[in-house]
Amino acid sequence: MTPDDIDDLARRAREGDRAALETLLEAVRPRALNVCRGVLPYSGDAEDACQEALLNVATKIGTWNGRGRFTTWMHVVALNSARTTYRKLKNQAVPTDFEGGQHDRPDPRTTSVIAGTRLDLLDAMETIEKEHPQYVEPLLLRDVYGMAYEDIAQLIDVPLGTVKAQIHHGRKLARPLLRGE
């Protein structure tokens, strides 16, 4: 299916065409799964995040403004679903060893339920998001998914210069976090 075909299906689905929505979801599922696997390489977690992303696409398709490619918008929805899934898994992680009476939150790096995630990157993004949430989405879209600056600017509806500045500042904050400093 061409990008124009997908955009046409998305427009029809946004207008209430149920058959178009089903065809659209089937067409974009592999792409959504790849986005989720970029954050959650463990197949089961990526599949869960993909299902959540497709559900969000179906329920929030009315928020796609139709100016940019539908797949670009869907990409962000899938990325956000993967990040949400990671946070849920991290919060649900329980210690497997209670020796010594310690009941502190476990180190997620040793918890199998979130094994295979890109912990260093996700932890860095969570840290940055606390004080500078505007940097996270552009940074992930550019540096993890290789999206063009122009596409990011259109997608998040900010000027191109702002996107470049956000990515620059996000990188400056991320570097020491990724190095463990």
Side-chain angles (χ1 to χ4, degrees):
M1 214 174 261
T2 69
D4 288 336
D5 292 338
I6 290 174
D7 288 350
D8 181 55
L9 277 173
R11 283 186 194 88
R12 291 184 7 230
R14 188 179 58 190
E15 294 166 4
D17 182 337
R18 191 155 183 81
L21 178 61
E22 289 179 21
T23 304
L24 176 68
L25 293 175
E26 185 178 315
V28 299
R29 186 183 187 290
R31 184 179 295 224
L33 184 57
N34 283 338
V35 169
C36 293
R37 282 185 179 145
V39 176
L40 302 161
Y42 178 68
S43 293
D45 295 342
E47 287 283 346
D48 290 347
C50 179
Q51 286 302 105
E52 185 69 29
L54 294 176
L55 180 62
N56 287 334
V57 165
T59 58
K60 298 177 182 180
I61 194 163
T63 64
W64 174 59
N65 61 22
R67 288 195 323 246
R69 289 282 182 201
F70 173 79
T71 52
T72 303
W73 177 82
M74 184 277 312
H75 195 104
V76 172
V77 172
L79 177 61
N80 289 336
S81 293
R83 291 177 60 219
T84 299
T85 298
Y86 166 75
R87 282 189 201 109
K88 286 178 187 173
L89 292 170
K90 184 176 175 183
N91 289 334
Q92 291 172 356
V94 294
T96 56
D97 185 4
F98 291 107
E99 285 184 27
Q102 291 184 328
H103 298 286
D104 295 334
R105 177 162 302 298
D107 179 356
R109 289 165 184 82
T110 62
T111 306
S112 65
V113 79
I114 54 176
T117 59
R118 300 173 78 166
L119 293 170
D120 55 346
L121 176 64
L122 293 171
D123 286 345
M125 292 303 105
E126 281 187 348
T127 300
I128 292 169
E129 192 169 36
K130 289 175 186 168
E131 293 188 27
H132 305 285
Q134 72 276 18
Y135 299 161
V136 173
E137 188 173 53
L139 184 60
L140 287 173
L141 291 173
R142 178 67 187 161
D143 289 351
V144 175
Y145 294 102
M147 194 175 283
Y149 290 106
E150 294 81 8
D151 291 341
I152 297 168
Q154 185 177 28
L155 180 69
I156 62 175
D157 199 27
V158 297
L160 180 60
T162 302
V163 166
K164 289 180 178 182
Q166 289 173 335
I167 291 169
H168 171 75
H169 292 300
R171 285 174 178 160
K172 281 176 54 179
L173 292 171
R175 278 186 199 108
L177 296 170
L178 293 172
R179 285 188 220 130
E181 296 173 6

